[in-house]
Amino acid sequence: MARRHDCGNSRVTSRAFVTCYPEALGLNGFLMRTVADGRQALEAVARERPDIIVLDVMMPGPDGFTVARRLREAGTAR
């Protein structure tokens, strides 16, 4: 059984973000997708062209800084 996280806690961990925010965004008509690493992030953006991207600067593979730079260089993100 998955543990629930305290979504009202002001200290947001990456696990809480992945657990809590999809629900909150979904209630407002948004869809949140998550990926495991930078390579998957780049692939997902190429496929789906999201409105907003939240990156973890410490994610495996290319880190969030590298992913952001690559997206800007490719003209995928502003």
Coordinates of all heavy atoms in Angstrom, one line a residue:
M1 N 0.8 -1.2 0.0 CA 0.0 0.0 0.0 C 0.9 1.2 0.0 O 1.8 1.3 0.8 CB -0.9 0.0 1.2 CG -1.7 1.2 1.4 SD -2.7 1.2 2.9 CE -4.3 1.5 2.3
A2 N 0.6 2.2 -0.9 CA 1.4 3.4 -1.0 C 1.1 4.3 0.2 O -0.1 4.4 0.6 CB 1.1 4.1 -2.3
R3 N 2.1 5.0 0.7 CA 1.9 5.9 1.8 C 1.5 7.2 1.2 O 1.9 7.7 0.2 CB 3.2 6.1 2.5 CG 3.6 5.0 3.4 CD 4.8 5.3 4.3 NE 5.5 6.5 4.0 CZ 6.7 6.9 4.5 NH1 7.3 6.0 5.3 NH2 7.2 8.0 4.1
R4 N 0.5 7.9 1.9 CA 0.1 9.2 1.5 C 1.1 10.2 2.2 O 1.6 10.0 3.2 CB -1.3 9.5 2.0 CG -2.3 8.7 1.2 CD -3.7 9.1 1.5 NE -4.0 10.5 1.3 CZ -4.3 11.1 0.1 NH1 -4.3 10.3 -1.0 NH2 -4.5 12.3 0.0
H5 N 1.3 11.3 1.5 CA 2.1 12.4 2.0 C 1.3 13.6 2.4 O 0.2 13.8 1.9 CB 3.1 12.8 0.9 CG 4.1 11.7 0.5 ND1 5.2 11.5 1.2 CD2 4.0 10.7 -0.4 CE1 5.9 10.5 0.7 NE2 5.1 10.0 -0.3
D6 N 1.8 14.3 3.3 CA 1.1 15.5 3.8 C 1.3 16.6 2.8 O 2.3 17.3 2.7 CB 1.7 15.9 5.2 CG 1.0 17.2 5.7 OD1 0.0 17.6 5.2 OD2 1.5 17.7 6.7
C7 N 0.3 16.8 2.0 CA 0.3 17.8 0.9 C 0.2 19.2 1.5 O 0.5 20.2 0.8 CB -0.8 17.6 -0.1 SG -0.5 16.0 -0.9
G8 N -0.2 19.4 2.7 CA -0.3 20.7 3.3 C 1.0 21.2 4.0 O 1.2 22.3 4.4
N9 N 2.0 20.3 4.0 CA 3.3 20.6 4.6 C 4.0 21.6 3.8 O 4.1 21.4 2.6 CB 4.1 19.3 4.8 CG 5.4 19.4 5.5 OD1 5.9 20.5 5.6 ND2 5.9 18.3 6.0
S10 N 4.6 22.6 4.4 CA 5.3 23.6 3.6 C 6.6 23.2 3.1 O 7.2 23.8 2.2 CB 5.5 24.9 4.5 OG 6.3 24.6 5.6
R11 N 7.1 22.1 3.7 CA 8.4 21.5 3.2 C 8.1 20.5 2.1 O 7.8 19.3 2.4 CB 9.2 20.9 4.4 CG 10.5 20.4 4.0 CD 11.3 20.0 5.2 NE 12.6 19.4 4.7 CZ 13.1 18.3 5.2 NH1 12.5 17.7 6.1 NH2 14.2 17.8 4.7
V12 N 8.3 20.8 0.9 CA 7.9 19.9 -0.2 C 9.1 19.2 -0.7 O 10.1 19.7 -1.1 CB 7.3 20.7 -1.4 CG1 6.9 19.8 -2.5 CG2 6.0 21.5 -0.9
T13 N 9.0 17.8 -0.6 CA 10.0 17.0 -1.1 C 9.7 16.6 -2.5 O 8.5 16.8 -2.9 CB 10.2 15.7 -0.3 OG1 8.9 15.0 -0.4 CG2 10.5 16.0 1.2
S14 N 10.6 16.1 -3.3 CA 10.3 15.7 -4.6 C 9.2 14.6 -4.6 O 8.3 14.6 -5.5 CB 11.5 15.2 -5.4 OG 12.1 14.2 -4.8
R15 N 9.2 13.7 -3.7 CA 8.2 12.6 -3.6 C 6.8 13.2 -3.3 O 5.9 12.9 -3.9 CB 8.6 11.6 -2.5 CG 7.6 10.5 -2.5 CD 8.0 9.4 -1.4 NE 9.3 8.9 -1.8 CZ 9.4 7.7 -2.4 NH1 8.4 7.0 -2.7 NH2 10.6 7.2 -2.7
A16 N 6.8 14.2 -2.4 CA 5.5 14.9 -2.1 C 5.0 15.6 -3.3 O 3.8 15.6 -3.6 CB 5.7 15.8 -0.9
F17 N 5.9 16.3 -4.1 CA 5.5 17.0 -5.3 C 4.9 16.0 -6.3 O 3.8 16.3 -6.8 CB 6.8 17.6 -5.9 CG 6.5 18.5 -7.1 CD1 6.1 19.8 -6.9 CD2 6.5 18.0 -8.4 CE1 5.8 20.6 -8.0 CE2 6.2 18.8 -9.4 CZ 5.8 20.1 -9.2
V18 N 5.5 14.9 -6.5 CA 5.0 13.9 -7.5 C 3.7 13.3 -7.0 O 2.8 13.0 -7.8 CB 6.0 12.8 -7.7 CG1 5.4 11.7 -8.5 CG2 7.2 13.4 -8.5
T19 N 3.5 13.2 -5.7 CA 2.3 12.6 -5.1 C 1.1 13.6 -5.0 O 0.0 13.3 -5.4 CB 2.6 12.1 -3.7 OG1 3.6 11.1 -3.8 CG2 1.4 11.4 -3.1
C20 N 1.4 14.9 -4.6 CA 0.4 15.8 -4.3 C 0.0 16.7 -5.4 O -1.2 17.0 -5.6 CB 0.8 16.7 -3.1 SG 1.2 15.8 -1.6
Y21 N 0.9 17.2 -6.2 CA 0.6 18.2 -7.2 C -0.3 17.6 -8.4 O -1.1 18.4 -8.9 CB 1.8 18.9 -7.7 CG 2.3 19.9 -6.7 CD1 3.1 19.5 -5.6 CD2 1.8 21.2 -6.7 CE1 3.5 20.5 -4.7 CE2 2.2 22.1 -5.7 CZ 3.0 21.8 -4.7 OH 3.4 22.7 -3.8
P22 N -0.1 16.4 -8.8 CA -1.0 15.9 -9.9 C -2.4 16.0 -9.5 O -3.3 16.4 -10.3 CB -0.5 14.5 -10.1 CG 0.9 14.4 -9.7 CD 1.0 15.4 -8.5
E23 N -2.7 15.7 -8.2 CA -4.1 15.8 -7.8 C -4.6 17.2 -7.8 O -5.7 17.5 -8.3 CB -4.2 15.2 -6.4 CG -5.6 15.2 -5.8 CD -5.7 14.6 -4.4 OE1 -4.8 13.8 -4.1 OE2 -6.6 15.0 -3.7
A24 N -3.8 18.1 -7.2 CA -4.2 19.5 -7.2 C -4.3 20.1 -8.6 O -5.3 20.8 -8.9 CB -3.2 20.3 -6.4
L25 N -3.4 19.8 -9.5 CA -3.5 20.3 -10.8 C -4.7 19.7 -11.6 O -5.3 20.4 -12.4 CB -2.2 20.0 -11.6 CG -1.0 20.8 -11.1 CD1 0.3 20.2 -11.7 CD2 -1.1 22.3 -11.4
G26 N -4.9 18.4 -11.3 CA -6.0 17.7 -12.0 C -7.4 18.3 -11.7 O -8.2 18.4 -12.5
L27 N -7.5 18.8 -10.4 CA -8.7 19.4 -10.0 C -9.0 20.7 -10.8 O -10.1 21.2 -10.8 CB -8.7 19.7 -8.5 CG -8.8 18.4 -7.6 CD1 -8.6 18.8 -6.2 CD2 -10.1 17.7 -7.8
N28 N -7.9 21.3 -11.3 CA -8.0 22.5 -12.0 C -7.9 22.3 -13.6 O -7.6 23.3 -14.3 CB -7.0 23.5 -11.5 CG -7.3 24.0 -10.2 OD1 -8.2 24.8 -10.0 ND2 -6.6 23.6 -9.2
G29 N -8.0 21.1 -14.0 CA -8.0 20.8 -15.4 C -6.7 20.6 -16.1 O -6.6 20.5 -17.3
F30 N -5.6 20.5 -15.3 CA -4.3 20.2 -15.8 C -3.9 18.8 -15.7 O -4.4 18.1 -14.8 CB -3.3 21.1 -15.1 CG -3.4 22.6 -15.3 CD1 -4.1 23.3 -14.4 CD2 -2.9 23.2 -16.4 CE1 -4.3 24.7 -14.5 CE2 -3.1 24.5 -16.6 CZ -3.8 25.3 -15.7
L31 N -3.0 18.3 -16.5 CA -2.5 17.0 -16.4 C -1.0 17.1 -16.2 O -0.3 17.8 -16.8 CB -2.7 16.3 -17.7 CG -2.1 14.9 -17.9 CD1 -2.8 13.9 -16.9 CD2 -2.4 14.3 -19.3
M32 N -0.5 16.3 -15.2 CA 0.9 16.3 -14.8 C 1.5 15.0 -15.2 O 1.0 14.0 -14.8 CB 1.1 16.7 -13.4 CG 2.6 16.7 -13.0 SD 2.7 17.3 -11.2 CE 4.3 16.6 -10.8
R33 N 2.6 15.0 -15.9 CA 3.3 13.8 -16.2 C 4.7 13.8 -15.5 O 5.3 14.9 -15.4 CB 3.6 13.6 -17.7 CG 2.3 13.6 -18.5 CD 2.5 12.8 -19.8 NE 1.4 12.9 -20.7 CZ 0.3 12.2 -20.6 NH1 0.1 11.4 -19.6 NH2 -0.7 12.3 -21.5
T34 N 5.1 12.7 -15.1 CA 6.4 12.6 -14.4 C 7.3 11.6 -15.2 O 6.8 10.7 -15.8 CB 6.3 12.2 -12.9 OG1 5.7 10.9 -12.9 CG2 5.5 13.2 -12.1
V35 N 8.6 11.8 -15.1 CA 9.6 10.9 -15.7 C 10.7 10.6 -14.7 O 10.8 11.3 -13.7 CB 10.2 11.5 -17.0 CG1 9.1 11.7 -18.1 CG2 10.9 12.8 -16.7
A36 N 11.5 9.6 -15.0 CA 12.5 9.1 -14.0 C 13.8 9.8 -14.1 O 14.6 9.9 -13.2 CB 12.7 7.6 -14.1
D37 N 14.1 10.4 -15.3 CA 15.4 11.0 -15.5 C 15.4 12.0 -16.6 O 14.4 12.2 -17.3 CB 16.5 9.9 -15.8 CG 16.2 9.1 -17.0 OD1 15.7 9.6 -18.0 OD2 16.4 7.8 -17.0
G38 N 16.6 12.7 -16.8 CA 16.7 13.7 -17.8 C 16.4 13.3 -19.2 O 15.8 14.0 -20.1
R39 N 16.9 12.1 -19.6 CA 16.7 11.5 -20.9 C 15.2 11.4 -21.2 O 14.7 11.8 -22.3 CB 17.4 10.2 -21.1 CG 17.3 9.6 -22.5 CD 17.9 8.2 -22.5 NE 17.3 7.3 -21.5 CZ 16.1 6.7 -21.6 NH1 15.3 7.0 -22.6 NH2 15.7 5.9 -20.6
Q40 N 14.5 10.8 -20.2 CA 13.0 10.7 -20.4 C 12.3 12.0 -20.5 O 11.4 12.2 -21.2 CB 12.5 9.8 -19.3 CG 12.9 8.4 -19.4 CD 12.3 7.6 -18.2 OE1 11.4 8.1 -17.4 NE2 12.7 6.3 -18.1
A41 N 12.9 13.0 -19.8 CA 12.3 14.3 -19.8 C 12.4 14.9 -21.2 O 11.4 15.5 -21.8 CB 12.9 15.3 -18.8
L42 N 13.6 14.8 -21.8 CA 13.8 15.3 -23.1 C 12.9 14.6 -24.2 O 12.3 15.3 -25.0 CB 15.2 15.2 -23.5 CG 16.2 16.1 -22.8 CD1 17.6 15.7 -23.0 CD2 16.0 17.6 -23.2
E43 N 12.7 13.3 -24.0 CA 11.9 12.6 -24.9 C 10.4 13.0 -24.8 O 9.7 13.1 -25.7 CB 12.0 11.1 -24.7 CG 13.4 10.5 -25.1 CD 13.6 9.1 -24.6 OE1 12.8 8.5 -23.9 OE2 14.7 8.6 -24.9
A44 N 10.0 13.1 -23.5 CA 8.6 13.5 -23.2 C 8.2 14.9 -23.8 O 7.2 15.1 -24.4 CB 8.3 13.4 -21.7
V45 N 9.2 15.8 -23.6 CA 8.9 17.2 -24.1 C 8.8 17.1 -25.7 O 8.0 17.8 -26.3 CB 10.0 18.1 -23.6 CG1 9.9 19.5 -24.4 CG2 9.9 18.3 -22.1
A46 N 9.7 16.4 -26.3 CA 9.7 16.3 -27.8 C 8.3 15.7 -28.3 O 7.8 16.1 -29.3 CB 10.8 15.4 -28.3
R47 N 7.8 14.8 -27.5 CA 6.5 14.1 -27.9 C 5.3 15.0 -27.6 O 4.3 15.1 -28.3 CB 6.3 12.8 -27.1 CG 6.9 11.6 -27.7 CD 6.4 10.3 -27.0 NE 6.3 10.4 -25.6 CZ 7.2 10.2 -24.7 NH1 8.4 9.8 -25.1 NH2 7.0 10.3 -23.4
E48 N 5.3 15.7 -26.4 CA 4.1 16.3 -25.9 C 4.0 17.8 -25.9 O 2.9 18.3 -25.8 CB 3.8 15.7 -24.5 CG 3.7 14.2 -24.5 CD 3.5 13.7 -23.1 OE1 2.9 14.4 -22.2 OE2 3.8 12.5 -22.8
R49 N 5.1 18.5 -26.0 CA 5.2 19.9 -26.0 C 4.3 20.5 -24.9 O 3.3 21.2 -25.1 CB 4.7 20.5 -27.3 CG 5.5 20.1 -28.5 CD 6.9 20.6 -28.5 NE 6.8 22.1 -28.5 CZ 7.7 22.9 -29.1 NH1 8.6 22.4 -29.9 NH2 7.5 24.2 -29.1
P50 N 4.7 20.3 -23.6 CA 3.9 20.8 -22.5 C 3.9 22.3 -22.4 O 4.7 23.0 -22.9 CB 4.7 20.2 -21.3 CG 6.1 20.0 -21.8 CD 6.0 19.7 -23.2
D51 N 2.9 22.8 -21.6 CA 2.8 24.3 -21.3 C 3.8 24.7 -20.3 O 4.2 25.9 -20.3 CB 1.4 24.6 -20.9 CG 0.4 24.4 -22.0 OD1 0.7 24.7 -23.1 OD2 -0.7 23.9 -21.6
I52 N 4.1 23.9 -19.4 CA 5.1 24.2 -18.3 C 5.9 23.0 -18.0 O 5.4 21.8 -18.1 CB 4.4 24.7 -17.1 CG1 5.4 25.3 -16.1 CG2 3.5 23.7 -16.4 CD1 4.8 26.0 -14.9
I53 N 7.2 23.2 -17.6 CA 8.1 22.1 -17.3 C 8.7 22.4 -15.9 O 9.3 23.5 -15.7 CB 9.2 21.9 -18.3 CG1 8.6 21.7 -19.7 CG2 10.1 20.8 -17.9 CD1 9.6 21.8 -20.8
V54 N 8.6 21.5 -15.0 CA 9.3 21.6 -13.7 C 10.4 20.5 -13.7 O 10.1 19.4 -13.9 CB 8.3 21.4 -12.5 CG1 9.1 21.4 -11.2 CG2 7.2 22.4 -12.6
L55 N 11.6 21.0 -13.5 CA 12.8 20.1 -13.5 C 13.5 20.0 -12.2 O 13.5 21.0 -11.4 CB 13.8 20.6 -14.6 CG 13.4 20.6 -16.0 CD1 14.3 21.4 -16.8 CD2 13.2 19.2 -16.5
D56 N 14.0 18.8 -11.9 CA 14.7 18.6 -10.7 C 16.2 18.7 -11.0 O 16.7 18.0 -11.9 CB 14.5 17.2 -10.2 CG 15.2 16.8 -8.9 OD1 16.2 17.5 -8.5 OD2 14.9 15.8 -8.3
V57 N 16.9 19.7 -10.4 CA 18.3 19.9 -10.8 C 19.2 18.7 -10.4 O 20.3 18.7 -10.9 CB 18.8 21.2 -10.2 CG1 18.0 22.4 -10.7 CG2 18.9 21.2 -8.7
M58 N 18.7 17.8 -9.6 CA 19.5 16.7 -9.2 C 19.0 15.3 -9.8 O 19.4 14.3 -9.3 CB 19.5 16.6 -7.7 CG 20.2 17.8 -7.0 SD 20.2 17.8 -5.2 CE 21.1 16.3 -4.9
M59 N 18.2 15.4 -10.8 CA 17.7 14.1 -11.3 C 18.8 13.4 -12.1 O 19.7 14.0 -12.5 CB 16.5 14.4 -12.3 CG 16.8 15.0 -13.6 SD 15.3 15.2 -14.5 CE 15.7 16.6 -15.4
P60 N 18.6 12.1 -12.2 CA 19.7 11.3 -12.9 C 19.7 11.6 -14.4 O 18.7 12.1 -14.9 CB 19.3 9.8 -12.6 CG 18.0 9.8 -11.9 CD 17.6 11.3 -11.6
G61 N 20.8 11.1 -15.0 CA 20.9 11.4 -16.4 C 21.3 12.8 -16.6 O 21.9 13.4 -15.7
P62 N 21.0 13.4 -17.7 CA 21.2 14.9 -17.7 C 20.4 15.5 -16.6 O 19.2 15.2 -16.4 CB 20.7 15.3 -19.1 CG 20.5 14.1 -19.9 CD 20.4 12.9 -18.9
D63 N 21.0 16.4 -15.8 CA 20.3 17.0 -14.7 C 19.4 18.1 -15.2 O 19.4 18.4 -16.4 CB 21.3 17.6 -13.6 CG 22.2 18.7 -14.2 OD1 21.8 19.3 -15.2 OD2 23.3 18.9 -13.6
G64 N 18.6 18.7 -14.3 CA 17.6 19.7 -14.7 C 18.2 20.9 -15.4 O 17.6 21.4 -16.4
F65 N 19.4 21.3 -15.0 CA 20.1 22.5 -15.7 C 20.4 22.1 -17.1 O 20.2 22.9 -18.1 CB 21.4 22.9 -15.0 CG 21.1 23.5 -13.6 CD1 21.7 22.9 -12.5 CD2 20.4 24.6 -13.4 CE1 21.5 23.4 -11.2 CE2 20.2 25.2 -12.2 CZ 20.7 24.6 -11.1
T66 N 20.9 20.9 -17.3 CA 21.3 20.4 -18.7 C 20.1 20.3 -19.5 O 20.1 20.7 -20.7 CB 22.1 19.1 -18.6 OG1 23.3 19.3 -17.8 CG2 22.5 18.6 -19.9
V67 N 19.0 19.7 -19.0 CA 17.8 19.5 -19.7 C 17.2 20.9 -20.2 O 16.9 21.1 -21.3 CB 16.7 18.7 -18.9 CG1 15.4 18.8 -19.6 CG2 17.2 17.3 -18.7
A68 N 17.2 21.9 -19.2 CA 16.7 23.2 -19.6 C 17.6 23.8 -20.7 O 17.0 24.4 -21.6 CB 16.7 24.1 -18.3
R69 N 18.9 23.7 -20.6 CA 19.7 24.3 -21.6 C 19.5 23.6 -23.0 O 19.4 24.3 -24.0 CB 21.2 24.1 -21.2 CG 22.2 24.8 -22.2 CD 23.6 24.7 -21.8 NE 24.1 23.3 -22.1 CZ 24.4 22.4 -21.2 NH1 24.3 22.7 -19.9 NH2 24.7 21.2 -21.5
R70 N 19.4 22.3 -23.0 CA 19.1 21.6 -24.3 C 17.8 22.0 -24.9 O 17.6 22.1 -26.1 CB 19.2 20.1 -24.0 CG 20.6 19.6 -23.8 CD 20.6 18.1 -23.7 NE 21.9 17.6 -23.3 CZ 22.2 16.4 -23.0 NH1 21.3 15.5 -23.0 NH2 23.5 16.0 -22.7
L71 N 16.8 22.2 -24.0 CA 15.4 22.6 -24.5 C 15.5 24.0 -25.1 O 14.9 24.2 -26.2 CB 14.4 22.5 -23.4 CG 14.1 21.1 -22.9 CD1 13.1 21.2 -21.7 CD2 13.5 20.2 -24.0
R72 N 16.2 24.9 -24.4 CA 16.3 26.2 -25.0 C 17.1 26.2 -26.3 O 16.7 26.9 -27.3 CB 17.0 27.2 -24.0 CG 16.1 27.7 -22.9 CD 16.8 28.8 -22.1 NE 18.1 28.4 -21.5 CZ 18.2 27.8 -20.3 NH1 17.2 27.6 -19.6 NH2 19.4 27.5 -19.9
E73 N 18.2 25.5 -26.3 CA 19.0 25.4 -27.5 C 18.2 24.8 -28.7 O 18.4 25.3 -29.9 CB 20.3 24.5 -27.3 CG 21.3 25.2 -26.4 CD 22.4 24.3 -26.0 OE1 22.4 23.0 -26.3 OE2 23.4 24.8 -25.4
A74 N 17.3 23.9 -28.4 CA 16.5 23.3 -29.5 C 15.3 24.1 -29.9 O 14.6 23.8 -30.8 CB 16.1 21.9 -29.0
G75 N 15.1 25.2 -29.1 CA 13.9 26.1 -29.4 C 12.7 25.5 -28.9 O 11.6 25.9 -29.2
T76 N 12.8 24.5 -28.0 CA 11.6 23.8 -27.4 C 11.0 24.6 -26.3 O 9.9 24.5 -26.0 CB 12.0 22.4 -27.0 OG1 12.6 21.7 -28.1 CG2 10.8 21.6 -26.6
A77 N 11.9 25.3 -25.6 CA 11.5 26.1 -24.4 C 12.0 27.5 -24.5 O 13.1 27.7 -25.1 CB 12.0 25.4 -23.1
R78 N 11.3 28.4 -23.9 CA 11.8 29.8 -23.8 C 12.5 30.1 -22.5 O 12.3 29.6 -21.5 CB 10.7 30.8 -24.0 CG 9.9 30.5 -25.3 CD 8.8 31.5 -25.4 NE 7.5 30.8 -25.1 CZ 6.4 31.4 -24.8 NH1 6.4 32.7 -24.7 NH2 5.4 30.7 -24.5

